[in-house]
Every structure is written in C-alpha cells, then in structure tokens.
Amino acid sequence: MKKRKLWLWDMYQWEKIQQELEKMALQGWILTRCGTYFWTFQKAEPRRLHVAVSYISDGSRYNPAPSDNESFLEELAGQEGWVPAARWNALQIFYNGQPDPVPFHTDREAFLDSMARAVKKQSLPQGRYGIIEGLFLMLSIGLQLYIRPAWVLSRGFLLWIFLTGLLFFLVSFLSVLRMGLWLRKIGKLSETDRIPSPGAPDIPMTLLAPVILGVLPFFLTESGPSVLLIFATFGIALGVYGGLCSVFQHMGMGARENLRMCSMIGMTAAAVLLIAGFGLIQRYHWAEANKPVGTYSTGSRESEVFAAPIPLKIQDYAAAGDLEWSTEETRQASFLLSSRIFRQWALTPYHTPYARYEILDTFSTFAYELCRNKWLHTYEDSVRHGEVMVSHHFVPVDPGPWEAEEVYQEQLDGKLLSEYVLCYENRLIYLKAPQPLSPEAVPRVGKILRTCP
Amino acid sequence: MARQRLKTLTEQMFYVLLCLEEERCGSDILQWIDRAADGRVTVGSGTLYNLLEQFLEEGLITLTKTEGRRRSYRLTQKGQELLKREYERISMQAADYVRYAGRSGE
C-alpha cells in the first residue's frame, strides 16, 4: 500500500525531515520517493528506524540513476548499514534499522560544509534566476505601464503577470538573502551553537505556484473561455513537463538534457496552446461580440464594416453629410480600471471623417492620476537649445460648458485643435474629434460622454 | 568561537588524512581508522564522504582510481604538509602540557 503525503518543508530543514521520517517509520510508513509537493511512502512493518539526511551539491532530481557521487556515498553508507531511501536534488535520505548504528554524520563542520556547498551550487543560482525572472516580468509590464497605462491597468491578466513577477522577485530575493546570511552565519558558529537551516520555512518557494494560480480568478474580470484557457494551459504544460521528465528519466537521459528538453517542450506546448486558444476565442467568442456587418472597398483592399452602438456619434456634433459609417467598440476592464474605446469612420477611401474617444472609469486614484498625466503629455513642445521650436501641448480650457472638473484642449503654435482630455469624478475621456467642437456642441457632447453608462 | 576552515584539523580530519598516506578506498578508510584509533575515533559514512569532497576540493588528496562505485584516494604534497603542520601543533601542545603541568602525561 502506498500513501502520498503533502510535504512543504524546505529540503534544508534536515532536523524536521529526520524527525518526521522517524515518526512515520514508527507508524509503518517508509519513504520511497520525494517530490515537489508530495512525498510517497510505502506501508511496512512499524519499527524504529534511524534516518540520516545528507546533501550532495551535484545531485539532481532529473538524474535517471544515482550520479557517480551519489553512488559513492551509497557505497560508503552501506558499509555502516545505511540504506538509501530517496533523493531530491541535493537532498539524500538514508534509513538504518540497526539498534545503535554508527551515526551518519560524526563531524558537524563537514556536514555544514556539505550543506553550504549545496546551497552555493544549487539553491543560490536558482534564487538568482528567480530574481532575474521576477524583475524581467515586472519590468516588461512596468515599461508598458509607463508607455500606455490605461491599456495595462484595464487588463487584469497583465496585472496578474505583474503580481506574479513581484512575488517571484520577493520570494527569490528573500530566499537568496536568507541563504547569504546563513552562509555568513555558519562561518561564525561556535561548536555548541545549534545548526540553523538555510531554508525559508515561513515563505516556502513551493507555495508560490498555488498562490499565484489561486489569485488569478480575482484578476480576470472577463470570465469564461479565457480563464479556462489559462488554467488549461498551465495544467497541460505542467502535465507535459512532468510526464516527459519521467519518460526521459526512464529512458536514461542525463539530468541537464532532461531539464532542457522538458522545459523546451513544456514551454512550446504552453505557447502553442495559448496562441491557438486565443485564436479560437477570438474567432468564435470575441468575433461574436464584434461581428462585421459587411465589407467595403477602399480601392486597394477590402475593409470590414462594424455597427457597434456607440454613445456619441460624429453626427451629434458636426455636419456629417450623407455618408455611411462604421462604428466599433472595444471594452476591457480590471478591478482598477474600465476602458471603452469607440471609433467611428466614414466608408470613404481614406476613412475620413474619423473620430475616436476613450472612456476610462477608474476605481483608484492611482489609476486616475497615472492615466490623466499620461494623456496630458501626449504632445510635448519641441525644444532645441532651450528655445521652443514647435509649441504643441494640451492647455487647460474652461470646464464649465462641459460640466467637468478639468478640461484640456490640444494646442499647436497657439491654435486650438480637435483633441480633448475631459476630467470628471472617477471618469476620464480622451476625445479625438474630426475638427474642434463648436461652442454650441460642447454642452451636448459633454453631457453624452459624462452620463453614458 | 568558530574554527577557521582547515586551519586546524578535527580528530576525524586528521585520521582520514593520516590514513591516506597510502592509497585507500572509502571502505578501507573506515576500517583503518577504526583499527588505528582503537575504536576511539568514529567516522560516519556521510562525514567521510563530505571530508573526502572537501579535501579533494582543497587539493589535499587526489583521486587515484575509480572501480565502479569504489573510489581510491591518496594524500598530495599539500596534504602531507598540512598533516605535518598539524602533528607539530599537537606535539607542541603535548610538550607544553608536560612543561607546565609538570607531569609526563601518565
């Protein structure tokens, strides 16, 4: 009979591992296999067994058979009755059923030294890799946040990636810091000091993945296929990765090669699944919401025509003539920001007249300020040697007719143009009209944009 | 007070190095130490593995032969010098004991 037990202790918590395995042996459970989250035990006769925990810096869970060093340790251990039970990366576990065996470790400095070597060769590089990965994720999203804040803040999935990067960075950084401090500390240990563990029992790295996946639904306001796709991708990629690791291990593939192949295939599977999945979602789900109602020729190519109901039309504030129109809407929302982009263009060869406006409903001051400031810096004066060559920026105009808190209008070399930033309480609007609005049109447009749901 | 790495040797380190004046494999080392120290010094198999790794890294011993899972080692010149230095240190301690405690250690 076999049993799998959830095991979240860090592999360097050797005392806890030892105590727990001895307790389980007394209850008749012998360890046969270690894993990331679960350790496997086999039912046996309950008996008192001595457990030894050791570390080999080049040990790897991807090795198909014990490495030369592991074999050598097993040979030495066998001389004193220690039988190998399981291994997991640097961690090596032995049982001894003799009543009073020669202890596995008789020199605490040599034991500390082996642990320090495993930390330096395995755990520190992994931690450093985690820091780089976390920073990369944060910087990628951070850069996009700087370039187009509304686009990022309205996409829960991107916010989730940012949080993932932040958690990865923090856990890896704390882990590296803790291991670095441990390495310094053991250099100063006296012979009577208790050996501390370099692991991080309070923030185990192993809990990171369930936490990150667990919070994902809170970030995805869009339900249905996208959420299912993301979970399915994670599940299938992990399954492919784990399954292939075992298959390659049985085939006798070396640890490095195994890791490289499985990572490559797992990541490719995830990428293919995501791309194909989003393609299908776009084709059947998104396309349903934004279905073209026809096409029209612009001379050289065919363009699709949409007929989304939009709250403000060019006809509401400008003479539009007897033209046909395409109207399109794009919606995105997260817990920080809801963004709706409306576009309207005439079915003419050059898509003119053309209007575009974006309505942001913000649920935090941070998102409001960030988007407002970014929009107000859409245009910057061109300055050379301290002299303004081209003056092009937003200037504040009277918000009264708009019934807004603040209104800014695009100005080029002193002439007011057709782009506006309207600031209401919790709502920001960027309006790019085909031409500057007439004073009569302003209150009407303001009311529509302010009150539209 | 922490001891500097390999500046001085523990008893187990000393016997492992001493034993490798001649080429020996892992299991031979365990048996030799048990015999040579009359069972007074015990070296655990995990400790022996760690010490051999450490000595090899420091260039105090060299791997001379590998036969399957068995590995044989021998002391290097650097290892011999360290062992001699340790012997002189222990001898001086013993001499000081005789001089100041006024006994010949009976």
Side-chain angles (χ1 to χ4, degrees):
Chain A
M1 190 166 67
K2 280 188 176 178
K3 159 163 131 171
R4 280 154 74 81
K5 189 173 169 22
L6 184 66
W7 201 274
L8 294 176
W9 287 331
D10 187 272
M11 72 167 178
Y12 293 107
Q13 290 178 278
W14 58 278
E15 268 176 318
K16 280 197 176 160
I17 294 173
Q18 219 165 302
Q19 285 163 9
E20 186 63 22
L21 292 181
E22 283 177 353
K23 200 172 90 189
M24 299 240 351
L26 279 176
Q27 292 163 1
W29 292 104
I30 304 294
L31 177 71
T32 54
R33 197 168 172 272
C34 300
T36 311
Y37 297 109
F38 293 95
W39 284 20
T40 312
F41 292 83
Q42 176 81 47
K43 187 74 185 150
E45 195 187 317
R47 60 195 283 224
R48 182 170 154 65
L49 284 176
H50 296 272
V51 175
V53 171
S54 197
Y55 298 94
I56 287 189
S57 58
D58 67 348
S60 168
R61 69 181 132 142
Y62 300 104
N63 272 332
S67 67
D68 289 348
N69 284 339
E70 285 165 337
S71 295
F72 179 52
L73 176 63
E74 286 174 10
E75 200 246 335
L76 288 178
Q79 301 291 319
E80 291 171 339
W82 291 97
V83 180
R87 53 197 162 83
W88 179 254
N89 289 335
L91 176 70
Q92 314 284 319
I93 295 168
F94 292 85
Y95 281 116
N96 195 325
Q98 293 170 7
D100 194 16
V102 174
F104 198 79
H105 296 289
T106 48
D107 184 326
R108 65 182 243 132
E109 279 190 42
F111 176 59
L112 266 177
D113 193 73
S114 70
M115 225 198 297
R117 260 181 297 166
V119 165
K120 280 183 202 161
K121 284 193 182 170
Q122 284 207 356
S123 307
L124 272 180
Q126 275 170 16
R128 286 193 203 112
Y129 179 72
I131 291 178
I132 293 170
E133 208 169 9
L135 276 176
F136 174 75
L137 286 177
M138 280 197 297
L139 285 176
S140 310
I141 305 296
L143 189 67
Q144 289 298 323
L145 185 68
Y146 175 74
I147 297 170
R148 36 185 182 172
W151 188 81
V152 172
L153 294 175
S154 61
R155 281 164 174 78
F157 188 57
L158 293 179
L159 297 174
W160 176 75
I161 290 177
F162 186 84
L163 179 82
T164 301
L166 180 70
L167 285 175
F168 234 90
F169 172 78
L170 284 177
V171 171
S172 304
F173 179 76
L174 285 174
S175 159
V176 166
L177 183 73
R178 199 179 154 99
M179 284 187 275
L181 290 174
W182 179 82
L183 285 171
R184 279 187 62 170
K185 194 174 175 183
I186 58 162
K188 294 174 186 165
L189 277 187
S190 77
E191 283 177 20
T192 50
D193 287 340
R194 198 182 149 272
I195 299 177
S197 161
D202 43 350
I203 315 167
M205 197 75 180
T206 40
L207 280 180
L208 200 58
V211 167
I212 287 171
L213 281 177
V215 299
L216 178 61
F218 297 103
F219 282 80
L220 294 173
T221 42
E222 189 189 328
S223 59
S226 304
V227 180
L228 281 175
L229 173 71
I230 289 159
F231 275 113
T233 304
F234 269 104
I236 291 173
L238 278 176
V240 166
Y241 181 84
L244 282 179
C245 273
S246 304
V247 170
F248 290 154
Q249 212 167 348
H250 284 297
M251 283 166 60
M253 191 182 276
R256 267 173 179 275
E257 188 71 358
N258 190 341
L259 190 62
R260 204 165 56 90
M261 289 289 288
C262 291
S263 306
M264 211 167 67
I265 297 172
M267 276 194 277
T268 310
V272 169
L273 211 70
L274 272 179
I275 293 167
F278 275 121
L280 286 173
I281 288 172
Q282 179 140 346
R283 176 88 178 76
Y284 294 106
H285 184 68
W286 186 82
E288 200 59 39
N290 297 273
K291 218 172 191 169
V293 290
T295 56
Y296 83 104
S297 173
T298 56
S300 56
R301 64 188 175 90
E302 290 277 301
S303 288
E304 287 178 325
V305 179
F306 298 92
I310 62 173
L312 175 72
K313 292 180 181 146
I314 290 177
Q315 298 90 315
D316 294 330
Y317 56 88
D322 192 18
L323 293 166
E324 286 187 89
W325 303 89
S326 177
T327 51
E328 200 180 37
E329 180 192 359
T330 312
R331 282 171 186 261
Q332 276 294 335
S334 76
F335 63 95
L336 285 178
L337 190 92
S338 143
S339 156
R340 281 173 295 158
I341 301 172
F342 302 96
R343 296 196 298 148
Q344 182 184 13
W345 63 90
L347 304 187
T348 59
Y350 298 105
H351 290 193
T352 53
Y354 171 82
R356 179 187 183 278
Y357 53 97
E358 183 170 0
I359 300 177
L360 299 182
D361 287 314
T362 62
F363 312 121
S364 82
T365 316
F366 158 76
Y368 185 96
E369 288 300 321
L370 199 67
C371 295
R372 177 185 166 277
N373 291 339
K374 189 66 196 177
W375 278 355
L376 292 181
H377 287 92
T378 306
Y379 301 107
E380 300 277 358
D381 292 346
S382 166
V383 180
R384 192 183 291 172
H385 306 303
E387 197 183 325
V388 177
M389 308 300 288
V390 180
S391 164
H392 191 189
H393 52 259
F394 275 105
V395 290
V397 294
D398 180 15
W402 297 87
E403 291 186 50
E405 290 176 355
E406 291 170 90
V407 174
Y408 298 86
Q409 190 171 354
E410 178 195 9
Q411 190 188 58
L412 176 64
D413 286 334
K415 190 181 171 200
L416 289 170
L417 299 182
S418 59
E419 292 185 28
Y420 301 83
V421 173
L422 317 175
C423 308
Y424 295 96
E425 191 186 7
N426 301 327
R427 177 170 277 194
L428 288 167
I429 297 156
Y430 192 112
L431 170 64
K432 186 184 170 89
Q435 65 221 29
L437 269 66
S438 65
E440 298 76 41
V442 165
R444 197 165 56 246
V445 171
K447 189 180 176 192
I448 293 172
L449 293 177
R450 191 179 71 246
T451 55
C452 71
Chain B
M1 177 69 181
R3 198 170 58 80
Q4 266 187 291
R5 196 171 185 243
L6 295 179
K7 178 100 176 166
T8 59
L9 300 178
T10 61
E11 210 168 13
Q12 294 171 67
M13 288 174 170
F14 180 83
Y15 276 98
V16 172
L17 286 177
L18 185 62
C19 153
L20 291 177
E21 285 279 4
E22 276 178 33
E23 181 190 272
R24 283 196 169 86
C25 71
S27 49
D28 289 348
I29 299 171
L30 289 173
Q31 286 161 14
W32 187 90
I33 294 174
D34 194 41
R35 238 185 5 254
D38 288 331
R40 190 174 51 80
V41 178
T42 309
V43 179
S45 40
T47 292
L48 177 62
Y49 174 85
N50 293 334
L51 288 180
L52 291 173
E53 280 288 291
Q54 201 176 332
F55 293 157
L56 207 57
E57 211 170 77
E58 298 290 332
L60 301 175
I61 59 170
T62 180
L63 181 67
T64 52
K65 206 163 54 190
T66 306
E67 288 168 332
R69 303 198 322 168
R70 285 164 75 95
R71 291 178 184 179
S72 300
Y73 299 91
R74 197 188 162 95
L75 210 57
T76 61
Q77 181 67 33
K78 192 178 170 191
Q80 280 172 341
E81 283 164 15
L82 179 70
L83 194 60
K84 191 169 172 226
R85 232 180 15 248
E86 185 66 10
Y87 163 72
E88 286 164 357
R89 191 180 69 84
I90 299 168
S91 301
M92 278 165 68
Q93 282 178 353
D96 285 345
Y97 177 81
V98 172
R99 194 180 335 158
Y100 295 109
R103 293 185 296 203
S104 56
E106 70 275 15

